[in-house]
Structures are given as structure tokens and as C-alpha cells.
Amino acid sequence: MSNSSSQVDIVRQSLKRRYRKERRFRMYGIAAIAVALLSLFILFADIINKGHTGFLKTTVTLEVELDGDTMYLEDPTDPDERAMADFMAPIIGALKKHFPDVEGSAANRELARLVGSYGASDIRDLLKENPDLLGTTQTMEFLAHDTVSVYVKHADNPRYTVRLSERQQQWVDELVDKGVIETGFNDVLFSKGDSREPANAGILSAIVGSLLTMLVTLAISFPVGVAAAVYLEEFAPQNRLTDFIEVNINNLAAVPSIIFGLLGLAVFIGLFGLPRSVPVVGGLVLALMTVPTIIISSRAAIKSVPPSIREAAEGIGASKMQVVLHHVVPLAMPGMLTGSIIGMAQALGETAPLLLIGMVAFIVDVPDGFFDAATVLPVQIYLWASSAEQGFIELASAGIMVLLTFMISMNALAIWLRKRLERRW
């Protein structure tokens, strides 16, 4: 009897120890998830805190007198006159209406720096398109200078340095109170290309460049990756050669992305002479990087198709090719699409390989085709983050938010496709 009770006690103690281990393991798992979520929250909070003001622009609305004598301009259609005209004079005159006590050339220059340097270009372009407006008074909205924008949006933020004089700060405060200087949605960010001035910089050229590059990547990597996966899984003989190919495909999926950039630089630019900084070369490089991922995910999707599907198709007289193309590939397509979209999302966020092929260039114009000079979102963010101007800090964070939106959307699309198209056996 005593032996039986002692054995029961041993079993109970063993069960208690096992349950304690299970609880500890469960706690470790919960703690790991909590740390990951906390880190993710801190990351997103920091990005949003820095970047939300990047979606705001600071504007100056003025009643501008387009006086030809003041601008030394009589014929707005004459390019020689436009080259010599002073298009900044109407802006200074409009500002002096609010501060009539400002006198002297030095004070005028200080006052003119409240408006960005592109303000003169706005007046020049307006008169070029509408010469009849010369001699009239127009209400025009100008982008504020970068230093003014930083002051209006970040005056209380110690991370930003106010680079306005005390008199300029007084002027800005007064114009803000009058409603002359306002902040609103930054449509410039999505309607223009890069610029030397943060207030006039946008990501449209980078978005279009990313789209063109991704189209090239998808057009090459998806058919090549799927075809290779189908061959290796359904037709290739099992020998040392196929084993060698499989090992190298798995190794290529783990190769650092910068190696593909070196390969693209040596082959596509050095050997074939393709131009630098164009979406075609960027797409080819990213396709090389994405193909192994698509092959691995496509092979896993093909393996998930039950053997009974193949046996049933062969039983009614279908050939090997018909079995694969009419039954196996359609049933495996949801998994193939999911892996391809995830691979494309990974390629969208790559920077290192594109830096090596010249897509780090300063691109202002929006590319019109696959062979036009272009940049992509990750490279644009890199350029802004490494810039010395304070205004680019918030633009870089805003660009990161846009890039994350694209990547999260692509991953959400992959999940939706998998749920929508998958079949349970």
C-alpha cells in the first residue's frame, strides 16, 4: 500500500513539474509576442510622430500686383525679357503691405525669404501662360520657405532648430494670426518630383519609378519562377543535378541583396551596356533576387496538391502535360500568387542593389517609360534621410509611411488571395 501511494506521489509531482514547465513556456511565448508588439508600436509611433507633419504644407496667400514696371517686364511672351525680369518684386511688395515700416534692401531680402524661391517661378509661369494678367492684381498662394515651414510646424520641438531671425519670427507670427500663412494637406508630396527645397519636394517620380520597376520585375520573375518550379517538381528526374540545382536555389534565396546589385552592374550595365538608373535595369536586378523566392513558394504550393488529383486525371486518360496544366497548376495558383506577392513586396523595399546600378540619382522629372531615368521609393527615402536640410526629416518619415502602406497593402492582398482562392482537401 505504501509503495502504491509513493508511486502516486511521484506521478503527481511529475505532473506538477510538467504543468509548471508548460506555464513557463506559455509565459515565455506571450512575453516574446508582447516584446515584438511593443517594438513594432514604438517603431510606428516614432515614424508617425516624425512624419505626420510631412503631409502638411505651409503656404503664404498674398494679393500680388503684377506691375510690369516693378518687374522690368513689358512683354511676358518675350523669353529675353523674362530672363531679365524681377519676378520676386511683386511678392516683396505684397508682403510690405502687411509690414509698411520695412525699409531698405537688407530688410527686403529678409522679408523675401519668408516665401520659397519657387514663388518667383510661379509668377513667371503664370504670366507666360496668361500674358493678359500683366498689370492686374491676383490672389496667389505660394509655398513658404523651408525655414518658415519648420518654424510654423515645429517651433516647440527641440529636435528642430529655428533658423529665422527674431524679426522674421515676429513677421511669421503676425501673418499666422492674420491667416496669411496657413498649413494644409501637402498635395505637393504626391504631385511633384524631388527638389532641392523640402517645401517643393514630392515623391511622384519615385512612385512612378517604383511602379515601372515592379512591372518589369513581375513580368520576368513570375513566369520564370513558376515555370522552374513546375519543371523541378513535376518533370525533372531525381538525380544529383537536380539536387545541386535545388541546393543552389535555396542558397540564392539567402544571398544578400547587394550581391545581386553587383551582378546587375557587371552584367546588365558593364556587359550589355544598358543605361544606368532606368526601371528596366532595376527590374532585371530585382527579378534575379525575387525568382528564388517564387520558385520555393511555388514548389511548396505544387506539393500541397493531393496525389489523388493527379491519379484521377491520369485515370481518365490525361497526359502528363494535361495533368499539370489543367489540374495541378490551377489548384496550386493561390499559393504561387501569395509567394509572388510577398516576394514583390520584399523587392519593393530593397535599396542596396538599386544604389549600385545608379538609381540613387537626383530625379526631378516623372519618368515616361521604362528607359527614362528614375528612382524608387526606398532610394528617395535614403536621399532625404541623408540630406542636411531639416525639412527633409519629416519628408523621409512621410515617405516611409507611404512605402509601408504599399508593402502592408501587398501583404494584405496576398492574404486575401490565399483565403479567397484556396481549397481545403
Side-chain angles (χ1 to χ4, degrees), residues 38-59:
L38 179 62
S39 302
L40 188 64
F41 173 79
I42 293 174
L43 174 64
F44 280 126
D46 183 64
I47 293 173
I48 294 173
N49 182 50
K50 291 180 181 178
H52 76 279
T53 53
F55 295 99
L56 299 175
K57 67 177 180 180
T58 306
T59 58

Side-chain angles (χ1 to χ4, degrees), residues 204-224:
L204 179 61
S205 59
I207 291 176
V208 175
S210 296
L211 177 62
L212 295 175
T213 302
M214 288 297 103
L215 287 176
V216 175
T217 303
L218 179 62
I220 296 173
S221 61
F222 183 73
V224 172

Side-chain angles (χ1 to χ4, degrees), residues 334-416:
M336 294 178 178
L337 290 175
T338 299
S340 299
I341 294 173
I342 293 174
M344 295 291 294
Q346 178 187 1
L348 178 62
E350 286 294 339
T351 304
L354 301 180
L355 295 178
L356 291 175
I357 61 170
M359 296 193 81
V360 70
F362 177 74
I363 305 297
V364 177
D365 299 326
V366 178
D368 294 325
F370 294 99
F371 287 92
D372 291 336
T375 187
V376 292
L377 271 172
V379 176
Q380 186 67 76
I381 294 168
Y382 166 78
L383 290 174
W384 284 346
S386 58
S387 179
E389 285 82 358
Q390 293 186 101
F392 283 124
I393 297 175
E394 59 186 12
L395 288 181
S397 296
I400 292 173
M401 293 169 66
V402 174
L403 179 60
L404 286 176
T405 301
F406 278 114
M407 297 182 69
I408 292 173
S409 300
M410 293 179 71
N411 282 276
L413 175 62
I415 295 173
W416 180 82

Side-chain angles (χ1 to χ4, degrees), residues 8 33 45 108 113 139 148 157 200 214 326 357 369 395 408 416:
V8 170
I33 294 173
N108 287 342
R113 283 196 289 271
T139 300
V148 175
N157 192 337
N200 209 62
M214 288 297 103
H326 296 171
I357 61 170
L395 288 181
I408 292 173
W416 180 82

